[in-house]
Amino acid sequence: MIHHIDRALEQFLRDVVPARAGTVDISFHAPDQTWTSGLTRPTIDLFLWEVGRHQASVRAGVEEETGPAGNRRWRPPTPVVALRYAASVWTREQRDEHELLGALLAAVLGYDRLPETVLPEALRSLRCGLSLGDDQHRFPLQLWPGTTTKAAVALEVTLPVEAFAWLERAAPVEAIAAQVRASEPEPADARGRRS
């Protein structure tokens, strides 16, 4: 599931930024010293640093639908997770870095979801949201002490996760029947008490 989003983000950046293959590399590595020392071309790094529940999408109740056979079915609400990436740009020249970072920022601000054209078949029926991360979820730069401090775009992708199976709803009650019959009186003992 997450690997599908990684591929969709890469295709999105190649199409929209544009970050042409052969000119700009796209990576998903932790930006540590070992990784940065091996860079040879301009690179956009999308490091997935947090996965959590998307609180704004939490719902109560149940989802209901009519199944393929016309039967009613239900399940708990589909949970939505937030994938939070730190998108940084690595180039030799600062001017090139800022230009590419600005193009990346404009691309993210121009869409509220990942276009269907970049999503794999398995995710095309889902709404995969795309936005800048909020202040509550800032990328913690202290995770990699000793690396070059870089400006990074906080990128958030929301993804509904098909976590629950559909359950058949019982057939609706169409009638209620009750039977009433007269009962025989209980025999009394010698004192007139009923047993």
Side-chain angles (χ1 to χ4, degrees):
M1 165 182 64
I2 294 175
H3 65 290
H4 288 315
I5 295 296
D6 288 349
R7 272 184 256 160
L9 279 172
E10 180 173 358
Q11 191 59 53
F12 173 76
L13 294 178
R14 296 226 182 271
D15 292 350
V16 179
V17 169
R20 292 183 301 280
T23 306
V24 176
D25 290 338
I26 295 176
S27 172
F28 293 87
H29 285 88
D32 58 20
Q33 284 184 316
T34 304
W35 176 77
T36 58
S37 65
L39 297 178
T40 57
R41 281 196 294 218
T43 302
I44 297 174
D45 186 52
L46 300 169
F47 176 67
L48 177 63
W49 68 275
E50 185 177 58
V51 178
R53 184 174 281 256
H54 188 245
Q55 291 301 324
S57 301
V58 173
R59 294 180 296 137
V62 296
E63 295 176 353
E64 293 187 81
E65 73 168 22
T66 301
N71 53 325
R72 295 295 297 161
R73 53 192 198 168
W74 70 278
R75 67 180 179 185
T78 301
V80 178
V81 296
L83 308 176
R84 298 184 180 99
Y85 294 83
S88 54
V89 174
W90 301 78
T91 64
R92 292 181 189 269
E93 299 292 328
Q94 188 179 46
R95 178 179 296 176
D96 296 337
E97 179 183 318
H98 286 185
E99 183 179 341
L100 195 50
L101 191 64
L104 186 146
L105 182 61
V108 173
L109 290 172
Y111 289 81
D112 66 348
R113 68 178 77 181
L114 286 170
E116 275 189 29
T117 55
V118 303
L119 292 172
E121 190 68 37
L123 299 180
R124 286 207 179 134
S125 64
L126 304 176
R127 186 190 191 285
C128 298
L130 177 66
S131 65
L132 291 182
D134 57 28
D135 289 342
Q136 183 182 356
H137 298 100
R138 289 187 182 223
F139 173 63
L141 293 174
Q142 70 273 17
L143 285 179
W144 296 281
T147 59
T148 304
T149 302
K150 289 275 189 186
V153 173
L155 183 63
E156 183 173 282
V157 176
T158 54
L159 173 66
V161 179
E162 300 285 337
F164 304 112
W166 288 102
L167 301 172
E168 296 295 322
R169 186 161 296 287
V173 175
E174 296 180 1
I176 297 176
Q179 288 186 338
V180 179
R181 66 180 176 89
S183 61
E184 296 293 324
E186 295 178 16
D189 64 11
R191 294 186 178 172
R193 291 180 299 193
R194 303 233 180 245
S195 57

